[in-house]
Amino acid sequence: MNQRDTLPLSRDAGDDPMVAAADAKAAEPQPARAPAAPTPASSRRAMGQSHIHESARAQVAGAAHYIDDLPEVKGTLYAAPILSTVAHGRLNGVDASAALALPGVRGVVLSADVPGDKLLAAFAHDEPVFAIDTVQHIGQVIGLVVAESVMQARRAVRAVQLDITPLPAVLSVHEALKAESYVLPPVFVRRGNAATGLAQSEHRLQGAFEVGGQEHFYLEGQIAYALPLEQKQWWIYSSTQHPGEVQHWVAHALGIDNHAVRVECRRMGGGFGGKETQAGHLAVWAAVAAHKFGRAVKLRLDRDEDFMVTGKRHPFAYEYDVGFDGTGRITGLKLQMAANCGFSADLSGPVADRAVFHSDNAYYLGDVEIASYRCKTNTQSHTAFRGFGGPQGVIVIEAILGDIARTLGLDAQDVRLRNLYGKDATEGRNVTHYQMTVEDNILHALMPQLERDANYRERQAAIAAWNAKSPVLKRGMAITPVKFGISFTATLFNQAGALVHVYTDGSVQVNHGGTEMGQGLHTKVAQIVADELGLPLHRVLVTASDTSKVPNASATAASSGTDLNGRAAQFAARNVRDNLASFVAGLDGCGAGAVQFKCGAEGGQVISPKKVRAFDDVVKEAYANRIQLWSDGFYRTPKIHYDKATLTGRPFYYFSYGAACSEVVIDTLTGESRVVAVDILHDVGHSINPAIDIGQIEGGFVQGMGWLTTEQLVWTDKGHLATHAPSTYKIPATGDVPRHFKVELWPEANREDNVGGSKAVGEPPFMLAISVYEALRNAVAAGRGGVEATAPVVLMAPATAENVLRALGRMGD
């Protein structure tokens, strides 16, 4: 049952006006949402307008194809995974005789059937394609059963007998730390002298807490379809954020060159980071099976299998020692972060690195020492998830500041403002602990603006009055900011390519290295190309991501999809435009710079000082004169550099900023909670598509809210993931979204030279949900009352009812 329906708001309040006021606020009409500036009809630009998603109509009509919708070639076989039932053990043998006797079963695929390297081509080279002689977690794929139908394969898997001798398993970060069990060596970052800063501090606090992982729960599960072609070539359909990596992994496993493998992805039904590396597993497994049987093979995990096989957001455990003055400004910090990485490295190194980078969030840390441990446990290998370690870094500094404010009896908003990075270099507080200068800090203006817009001070006073009269229900509110670095921390990935083809009828086709997972990347790229060529948006079509068109593309991740691929497509379109401009300039005897491309009331126009021509007519004439009507474009992010050994440099091109004000209510008897109201002011630069950007902000916030409130992953003492289905793992539902949910866009353009003056929007809003966590801790403090109201609040995340009761001191461990 939904918490909104069960939380008894009137239990101890009667007709209290605070309840009525809160309900009235939730029910009031939503303010207008940062509309795009009106565009003159004479220019009709595509960028800056809220165009619908390029696949929206097809998706509503059920005509948008995902991999499981594609027509299957004759003779396609279907695979189902054989999963380990032991968290750690010696694999002695696999008895598939009973499975092979079942109708339709064609055979099994094991490690011995891998024709190439039996280890995946991951950067750490520490994960087998299929388990070889040991198993490392419950749910590890030991092999496949291949059959003539999906259900035949799944039924046959149940008949496979595994001979596994159990070995001791490490199932928590605490056990891993004690055993020094790591997937990668620990990393230490220091600035100044933390020990001296702490010793000289006016006040000091120590604390420890944990945040859980998170299941990606994409609507379309992991899937791959491998088709063997002639002459040892392959066509792989993969639901992946990184087709280039899938290509490399498949080629590596089959022992062939990359050029023999073509990977295609038209769209994913969600990714959230879970299909950055781990989509490659499915593609390799399907390809190895197809290689063995010489037939096309499809492999789709059902929801339970997806939970058991794939990695999650990394759970983190923290210990800290912080010093601060009487105003709440931090004067020294020692921080330990231990990431539960699972059984292999996967992307844990860069995830943990980004957690280190973002452990400052928006605040200057002068004397600081950070220890980052990448712990190896016998669970699924945890992987990328929206924010990529950033949320796990941001939440710890926000929790520290919240407890500092509580200890000093100050409003946390004032403490946060007190600790912000300086506005510019003159203040001497604008260099991060990894030696990057913060040049574009807008939070000194943005946070007070949100405070005013949300009536923060007045509502805080009303909440205090409410809590004084309400013995059971307690409210809390908090404003938290985000400063999120945009770029891949691995500098080499900050590059992109694109192709733009103009056909003789004036229509345009675009292909780029990014992938569409519902976030609107293809829509934005089409808008950028349309404006570059002066065309209506409907004249531009973006096609499926395809390694045979744009090679070596980076993953669509790190919130950089539009920054990289949009700019590459813009450059490709600009090359074609320049070709056409030079052609028209030759016809009219003017300079090419005098030729303009604009979208008018009747479509694309090419305007010279002498004549206005239809774009379509210019294209036809240019073709007749053998002018090139297609081009490639390439972009590499400028200014960035990063020393991986010291974790110093400028890993990010710029920062995206934002802040959220969240109000919550908790029931101190049951531990139930709900979010009452949310106000967000977020920085996307000059938005390319305001509707898509606001959708990303809303979706990111709600997903972050789920991570911190209801989405609890529970492993048993045997290492079995108990929460492996929607019945036990609870993502937010529509009823969990607050009725008052206001999103506004900060109006300033990106100060760096980014495409359209825009900023990335995919990941930064996720961290705005930390305001919900801080509001819950404030409500818990109010619920404890007395001296306890000013003591640090240890609230394990997610803040389930049980964890809220524990934080209140009303439930034993």
Side-chain angles (χ1 to χ4, degrees):
M1 188 176 294
N2 191 283
Q3 288 183 1
R4 181 182 300 282
D5 300 324
T6 61
L7 193 68
L9 282 178
S10 60
R11 174 183 291 166
D12 60 351
D15 296 322
D16 192 289
M18 182 62 190
V19 176
D23 289 345
K25 180 173 182 58
E28 68 187 12
Q30 294 292 295
R33 289 176 163 182
T39 302
S42 59
S43 65
R44 300 179 183 273
R45 288 179 59 80
M47 285 196 289
Q49 306 302 309
S50 291
H51 293 282
I52 66 169
H53 191 285
E54 50 89 22
S55 295
R57 290 189 176 91
Q59 286 169 323
V60 169
H65 290 172
Y66 296 85
I67 291 174
D68 216 21
D69 301 316
L70 298 177
E72 296 168 357
V73 300
K74 184 178 179 180
T76 293
L77 300 175
Y78 305 87
I82 303 167
L83 305 183
S84 170
T85 55
V86 175
H88 187 206
R90 186 177 300 108
L91 179 60
N92 303 313
V94 177
D95 181 0
S97 56
L100 293 172
L102 294 174
V105 175
R106 298 297 299 271
V108 298
V109 182
L110 300 171
S111 180
D113 297 308
V114 179
D117 193 340
K118 291 177 175 25
L119 297 180
L120 292 168
F123 89 96
H125 208 231
D126 63 346
E127 186 173 350
V129 174
F130 299 113
I132 301 173
D133 51 12
T134 60
V135 292
Q136 298 284 338
H137 74 93
I138 293 176
Q140 183 176 357
V141 175
I142 294 172
L144 306 173
V145 172
V146 178
E148 294 176 358
S149 76
V150 173
M151 294 313 298
Q152 285 173 335
R154 290 181 177 171
R155 280 193 291 267
V157 160
R158 301 190 191 106
V160 175
Q161 298 296 311
L162 302 175
D163 181 3
I164 302 173
T165 302
L167 297 171
V170 176
L171 298 175
S172 74
V173 291
H174 304 290
E175 293 174 20
L177 287 169
K178 185 176 180 180
E180 297 186 354
S181 173
Y182 307 129
V183 297
L184 294 166
V187 169
F188 304 93
V189 175
R190 301 175 179 88
R191 177 166 66 175
N193 191 317
T196 300
L198 286 168
Q200 296 177 352
S201 294
E202 184 179 350
H203 303 277
R204 198 160 167 179
L205 275 179
Q206 293 84 32
F209 70 103
E210 298 180 19
V211 296
Q214 187 177 22
E215 165 64 30
H216 299 87
F217 218 106
Y218 22 63
L219 291 180
E220 176 202 32
Q222 298 277 7
I223 184 171
Y225 186 28
L227 290 80
L229 306 177
E230 62 173 91
Q231 302 181 68
K232 299 183 179 180
Q233 296 176 53
W234 291 81
W235 195 338
I236 309 292
Y237 290 100
S238 174
S239 181
T240 176
Q241 295 173 235
H242 199 175
E245 184 168 76
V246 170
Q247 176 192 41
H248 174 53
W249 281 26
V250 168
H252 187 77
L254 296 181
I256 58 179
D257 291 332
N258 286 2
H259 69 202
V261 179
R262 176 185 180 184
V263 178
E264 181 177 331
C265 177
R266 173 58 183 90
R267 62 174 60 83
M268 288 164 275
F272 308 119
K275 296 177 181 177
E276 185 172 345
T277 59
Q278 301 208 353
H281 298 68
L282 275 286
V284 168
W285 296 334
V288 170
H291 177 271
K292 178 173 181 176
F293 294 102
R295 302 262 290 272
V297 171
K298 180 186 283 188
L299 172 57
R300 177 176 61 82
L301 301 182
D302 68 19
R303 185 64 65 181
D304 286 281
E305 291 168 342
D306 210 315
F307 265 88
M308 298 303 295
V309 170
T310 64
K312 325 298 178 191
R313 181 185 297 282
H314 291 68
F316 267 59
Y318 310 93
E319 294 181 8
Y320 65 85
D321 186 350
V322 63
F324 49 97
D325 65 19
T327 69
R329 177 170 281 186
I330 292 175
T331 51
L333 175 64
K334 283 189 176 181
L335 173 62
Q336 175 181 296
M337 299 192 289
N340 183 338
C341 302
F343 81 97
S344 69
D346 194 89
L347 292 171
S348 295
V351 166
D353 287 351
R354 190 174 272 266
V356 171
F357 288 139
H358 286 82
S359 59
D360 62 340
N361 190 19
Y363 312 110
Y364 178 77
L365 302 175
D367 293 301
V368 61
E369 181 178 308
I370 302 170
S372 172
Y373 295 92
R374 296 94 197 272
C375 299
K376 179 176 181 177
T377 60
N378 293 114
T379 63
Q380 293 83 354
S381 185
H382 298 311
T383 190
F385 200 129
R386 197 176 198 166
F388 201 78
Q392 294 97 314
V394 171
I395 193 170
V396 63
I397 193 66
E398 293 299 340
I400 288 170
L401 288 172
D403 280 337
I404 288 174
R406 197 169 290 111
T407 299
L408 295 174
L410 300 174
D411 190 293
Q413 168 76 343
D414 297 324
V415 172
R416 290 185 167 96
L417 291 171
R418 176 73 172 149
N419 281 281
L420 288 178
Y421 279 103
K423 298 177 185 177
D424 52 49
T426 61
E427 297 188 26
R429 289 172 52 86
N430 69 326
V431 178
T432 69
H433 56 293
Y434 49 91
Q435 304 304 314
M436 178 173 172
T437 300
V438 180
E439 300 172 331
D440 58 353
N441 190 0
I442 62 174
L443 288 174
H444 288 275
L446 188 151
M447 289 180 70
Q449 182 64 52
L450 177 63
E451 178 185 318
R452 292 188 294 271
D453 291 348
N455 299 315
Y456 174 79
R457 303 288 175 175
E458 296 87 343
R459 288 168 63 193
Q460 281 285 42
I463 287 171
W466 155 276
N467 286 338
K469 295 189 295 181
S470 176
V472 173
L473 299 181
K474 299 293 182 180
R475 292 182 181 263
M477 185 166 62
I479 291 178
T480 62
V482 64
K483 172 186 70 67
F484 191 78
I486 304 300
S487 290
F488 288 97
T489 54
T491 305
L492 76 163
F493 292 136
N494 293 287
Q495 58 176 297
L499 297 172
V500 169
H501 299 167
V502 178
Y503 294 95
T504 54
D505 64 351
S507 63
V508 179
Q509 185 184 96
V510 181
N511 191 271
H512 61 84
T515 55
E516 176 63 51
M517 62 196 87
Q519 84 279 36
L521 173 60
H522 286 354
T523 308
K524 288 185 174 182
V525 170
Q527 289 177 263
I528 293 164
V529 171
D531 279 357
E532 198 65 29
L533 296 175
L535 292 173
L537 182 59
H538 73 268
R539 297 286 279 165
V540 180
L541 175 68
V542 180
T543 58
S545 306
D546 189 333
T547 58
S548 70
K549 293 185 177 181
V550 176
N552 311 318
S554 299
T556 304
S559 301
S560 61
T562 301
D563 289 6
L564 294 174
N565 298 287
R567 188 64 110 183
Q570 185 181 49
F571 287 170
R574 187 169 296 170
N575 292 338
V576 176
R577 187 193 69 185
D578 289 347
N579 291 345
L580 293 174
S582 296
F583 172 66
V584 170
L587 295 177
D588 291 357
C590 64
V595 179
Q596 301 179 54
F597 292 72
K598 291 186 176 181
C599 182
E602 298 182 4
Q605 297 177 331
V606 183
I607 305 168
S608 78
K610 289 188 177 181
K611 189 174 181 181
V612 176
R613 297 174 173 87
F615 179 86
D616 295 1
D617 294 339
V618 171
V619 168
K620 288 184 178 70
E621 197 169 353
Y623 173 75
N625 283 271
R626 296 179 294 175
I627 302 299
Q628 182 176 329
L629 297 175
W630 63 271
S631 183
D632 63 327
F634 180 79
Y635 175 69
R636 51 180 287 177
T637 307
K639 297 187 177 182
I640 54 176
H641 56 89
Y642 162 53
D643 185 337
K644 193 175 189 304
T646 62
L647 261 68
T648 58
R650 178 175 178 164
F652 309 120
Y653 186 31
Y654 63 86
F655 293 104
S656 287
Y657 298 92
C661 177
S662 294
E663 182 180 345
V664 303
V665 59
I666 66 170
D667 185 318
T668 60
L669 297 183
T670 67
E672 295 172 279
S673 67
R674 83 177 194 194
V675 181
V676 175
V678 173
D679 294 87
I680 293 173
L681 182 56
H682 196 69
D683 165 37
V684 298
H686 278 174
S687 176
I688 293 173
N689 190 313
I692 284 176
D693 286 347
I694 289 172
Q696 285 291 294
I697 294 166
E698 292 173 337
F701 182 92
V702 171
Q703 191 174 52
M705 189 176 77
W707 171 51
L708 295 171
T709 57
T710 64
E711 296 186 44
Q712 186 174 33
L713 293 164
V714 177
W715 282 269
T716 69
D717 59 3
K718 300 296 184 183
H720 181 264
L721 179 62
T723 50
H724 56 83
S727 57
T728 50
Y729 184 83
K730 306 306 292 182
I731 64 172
T734 54
D736 297 307
V737 178
R739 291 170 62 192
H740 177 89
F741 195 1
K742 174 186 172 186
V743 177
E744 296 284 353
L745 302 181
W746 186 254
E748 184 181 347
N750 192 336
R751 297 181 190 178
E752 294 291 350
D753 180 20
N754 203 46
V755 60
S758 66
K759 284 190 174 184
V761 72
E763 293 173 297
F766 184 96
M767 281 146 282
L768 296 178
I770 292 171
S771 60
V772 171
Y773 175 76
E774 283 300 287
L776 286 167
R777 294 208 309 144
N778 290 338
V780 167
R784 295 193 309 191
V787 176
E788 288 295 307
T790 61
V793 173
V794 180
L795 175 60
M796 302 297 181
T800 59
E802 293 86 351
N803 282 340
V804 169
L805 289 176
R806 287 190 181 96
L808 287 164
R810 299 182 183 180
M811 183 173 179
D813 293 330

